[in-house]
Amino acid sequence: MAEKPKLHYTRGRGKMESIRWLLAAAGVEFEEEFIEKEDLEKLRNDGSLLFQQVPMVEIDGMKMVQTRAILCYIAGKYNLYGKDLKERAWIDMYVEGTTDLMGMIMALPFQAADVKEKNIALITERATTRYFPVYEKALKDHGQDYLVGNKLSWADIHLLEAILMTEELKSDILSAFPLLQAFKTKMSNMPTIKKFLQPGSPRKPPPDENYVATVMKIFKL
């Protein structure tokens, strides 16, 4: 029996959360090694981190780094990356959009209060005028349940993660997007995802002040 993937990261969302989402949606059990400052130094010193950075995932005999490389590998391994090059290109484009949106949200806890307030307004504006209209239109144009190829893909999982993150900032963010509302409900009720959304799962809560302080200490920010 193959060993479970082992995830090395802090005890919070960050760049590892999308990896947790993808593995969970694929029905893959994984282990987590939560790092402190001394653990990061040890990983760096023993050559485990190709570019001296986490996330790092031990999977299939590799110590994989770089978030996108890890996500691409998992998506390909578990048949969540389309049936051909063209579908993969669409998945990549959709994922890059949600990555941009979630990147803006991930930066918020590390910002001063006045800057944070302005950026929440900007994120809300971008989500509702730049990003969500694209996904709403995609679902409308092809009339299918999923973004690409009428089959669950990495793009769908990433979009659900982005929707839930933006709803933490503005609960009615999907009010003008009925197809995305239906998409969210359907995706959230898929057995593997429903399990991941339950209390006690490996899904991490929104970052609080303690988590921010821990990250600042570990990474010397």
Side-chain angles (χ1 to χ4, degrees), residues 157-176:
I157 298 158
H158 219 239
L159 175 55
L160 179 61
E161 182 187 1
I163 287 171
L164 296 181
M165 283 181 74
T166 52
E167 284 185 334
E168 290 170 353
L169 301 179
K170 190 174 189 295
S171 61
D172 65 346
I173 194 102
L174 290 185
S175 59

Side-chain angles (χ1 to χ4, degrees), residues 121-140:
L122 176 62
I123 290 165
T124 301
E125 186 268 332
R126 288 272 174 88
T128 54
T129 64
R130 178 179 295 187
Y131 295 109
F132 289 163
V134 170
Y135 303 106
E136 181 83 4
K137 184 176 185 298
L139 294 171
K140 182 179 180 181

Side-chain angles (χ1 to χ4, degrees), residues 63-157:
K63 293 183 177 179
M64 292 196 70
V65 296
Q66 299 298 98
T67 308
R68 182 169 175 83
I70 297 166
L71 288 165
C72 286
Y73 183 81
I74 294 167
K77 179 179 174 69
Y78 296 106
N79 199 26
L80 295 166
Y81 212 177
K83 70 177 186 299
D84 55 32
L85 199 56
K86 187 173 285 189
E87 285 195 357
R88 181 174 168 178
W90 277 105
I91 290 168
D92 284 339
M93 286 192 283
Y94 288 140
V95 164
E96 287 299 307
T98 40
T99 298
D100 289 347
L101 178 59
M102 288 193 285
M104 295 172 71
I105 298 171
M106 278 192 277
L108 288 174
F110 300 91
Q111 297 168 353
D114 58 335
V115 176
K116 181 177 178 179
E117 186 177 348
K118 291 177 182 177
N119 282 336
I120 288 174
L122 176 62
I123 290 165
T124 301
E125 186 268 332
R126 288 272 174 88
T128 54
T129 64
R130 178 179 295 187
Y131 295 109
F132 289 163
V134 170
Y135 303 106
E136 181 83 4
K137 184 176 185 298
L139 294 171
K140 182 179 180 181
D141 285 352
H142 59 45
Q144 296 169 344
D145 292 331
Y146 303 107
L147 288 171
V148 179
N150 201 26
K151 182 179 182 294
L152 179 68
S153 76
W154 173 21
D156 302 300
I157 298 158

